[in-house]
Amino acid sequence: MRLVKRRRRRRVQMPLAMKSERRNANEEEEKGKGGMYLWLLDRDGVINEDVGSPGVIDVDRFKFLPLVKESLWSIRRRQNVDESPTSKKTNAAVRKVVLITNQTCVGKEIITEEYLTDVIHKRMTEELSRGGGADAFFDAILYETSPVEVNNRRKPAPGMVLEALQMFPPNTPGKDGVIFVGDSMTDMMAAGRAEIESGRSITRVLVGTGYGSRVWSELAEEYEELIDDGVFYYYVESERNDVNKESSLDAFPEECFPLYVAKDLAAAVDIFL
């Protein structure tokens, strides 16, 4: 596992052996600044607290994670500015935000699809839109309810990611501009597989909330002296473990990499906005 430790607003000195990986992280971050036109977000563990299996089956258990509303509003407000008739920015800068989530609790008949969409997601959207204008925050909410693992839409399969790419095609011929933020290996696998099938580069960010908390805790413990009130994250270039210490990332297949590991969604947004 090759790591590049990065901090916004403070320089971090790194061994010379990491020089090439640091350059790659720098280049990708600069390409992404202001240019991520399509944000793909997992739900449980990224937007709201992960309550474990079988998921959120009672709307009262849907609780936003800290700073999630502010982070999502930041993306939406920037988009609103870009879409203003008086704005000098072009439509190429307009951002779209798509929620991509597995909801097998519906397929297992624990809750109905109507309860998922008309109660849980409705309340989520209403809370997000408060203070962010009349528009519903998410441009699309894609979900798969089937509990069957052999399903092209259920993550780690790439189906929903490919659907999002078709719904919101790139405004430029370049390959940059898509980011997937998730908290699990299956999220990163879905993004990686969609990248292979579509030919579009998809920046992958694993957040340290939900299932990603174990990965973040391991890295934070190893580099504890670097964690303070700054925004801190890691750029992981490959799954190869070049250090003696074991990591949960060792179990991630090659298609998951390269990826960023950020403390939470707020840190992920801070990297690219």
Side-chain angles (χ1 to χ4, degrees):
M1 180 175 63
R2 304 298 294 276
L3 293 179
V4 173
K5 307 178 289 295
R6 293 294 311 284
R7 174 192 298 282
R8 298 283 297 266
R9 308 185 190 94
R10 175 178 292 184
R11 294 183 180 275
V12 178
Q13 186 174 1
M14 288 168 284
L16 293 178
M18 291 185 176
K19 184 176 181 180
S20 62
E21 286 79 9
R22 176 174 57 181
R23 182 182 65 252
N24 292 340
N26 288 340
E27 290 174 352
E28 183 156 344
E29 179 183 342
E30 290 305 316
K31 286 190 298 183
K33 281 185 178 300
M36 288 299 176
Y37 85 93
L38 180 57
W39 287 70
L40 310 176
L41 308 178
D42 176 43
R43 198 194 78 176
D44 299 331
V46 176
I47 302 298
N48 58 283
E49 296 177 1
D50 192 304
V51 299
S53 181
V56 178
I57 58 176
D58 183 339
V59 69
D60 291 332
R61 297 196 69 189
F62 187 96
K63 306 294 183 182
F64 283 101
L65 287 165
L67 298 179
V68 163
K69 293 181 182 180
E70 293 82 355
S71 300
L72 295 176
W73 288 340
S74 295
I75 301 173
R76 175 58 70 184
R77 285 167 179 165
R78 176 65 179 272
Q79 174 173 313
N80 287 340
V81 170
D82 291 337
E83 290 180 335
S84 171
T86 59
S87 175
K88 295 182 180 180
K89 293 182 179 292
T90 65
N91 287 335
V94 174
R95 293 188 176 92
K96 301 297 182 182
V97 185
V98 178
L99 192 70
I100 296 181
T101 177
N102 290 344
Q103 292 298 319
T104 58
C105 55
V106 174
K108 295 175 182 177
E109 299 183 350
I110 300 174
I111 64 173
T112 64
E113 188 169 357
E114 289 73 22
Y115 188 81
L116 172 68
T117 59
D118 299 343
V119 179
I120 297 176
H121 284 170
K122 182 180 179 181
R123 179 183 291 187
M124 173 186 68
T125 300
E126 288 175 346
E127 289 193 33
L128 288 175
S129 64
R130 292 193 190 108
D135 296 334
F137 184 84
F138 293 105
D139 294 281
I141 298 178
L142 303 181
Y143 59 89
E144 176 53 45
T145 63
S146 174
V148 179
E149 293 185 5
V150 184
N151 182 308
N152 192 52
R153 295 187 82 249
R154 180 184 173 186
K155 296 178 292 183
M160 288 190 286
V161 180
L162 295 173
E163 288 177 26
L165 293 175
Q166 293 174 350
M167 294 171 68
F168 303 105
N171 294 300
T172 61
K175 291 187 176 182
D176 302 309
V178 184
I179 182 169
F180 192 111
V181 183
D183 71 319
S184 68
M185 179 174 69
T186 56
D187 291 326
M188 302 299 100
M189 291 171 67
R193 293 176 182 181
E195 179 178 85
I196 294 172
E197 290 196 26
S198 68
R200 282 203 64 83
S201 176
I202 301 177
T203 298
R204 301 183 270 288
V205 181
L206 181 75
V207 290
T209 48
Y211 286 113
S213 60
R214 180 176 178 180
V215 172
W216 177 259
S217 296
E218 291 171 351
L219 296 177
E221 181 180 357
E222 184 173 358
Y223 302 104
E224 182 178 4
E225 73 280 3
L226 297 176
I227 302 294
D228 57 20
D229 58 350
V231 178
F232 185 61
Y233 62 93
Y234 305 81
Y235 181 79
V236 188
E237 188 171 58
S238 74
E239 84 285 3
R240 296 186 305 275
N241 189 1
D242 295 325
V243 295
N244 293 327
K245 190 170 183 178
E246 294 184 355
S247 167
S248 296
L249 286 173
D250 296 339
F252 283 43
E254 184 178 357
E255 63 209 41
C256 294
F257 299 92
L259 60 79
Y260 288 85
V261 182
K263 183 178 180 180
D264 50 25
L265 180 60
V269 170
D270 191 61
I271 296 173
F272 295 101
L273 289 184

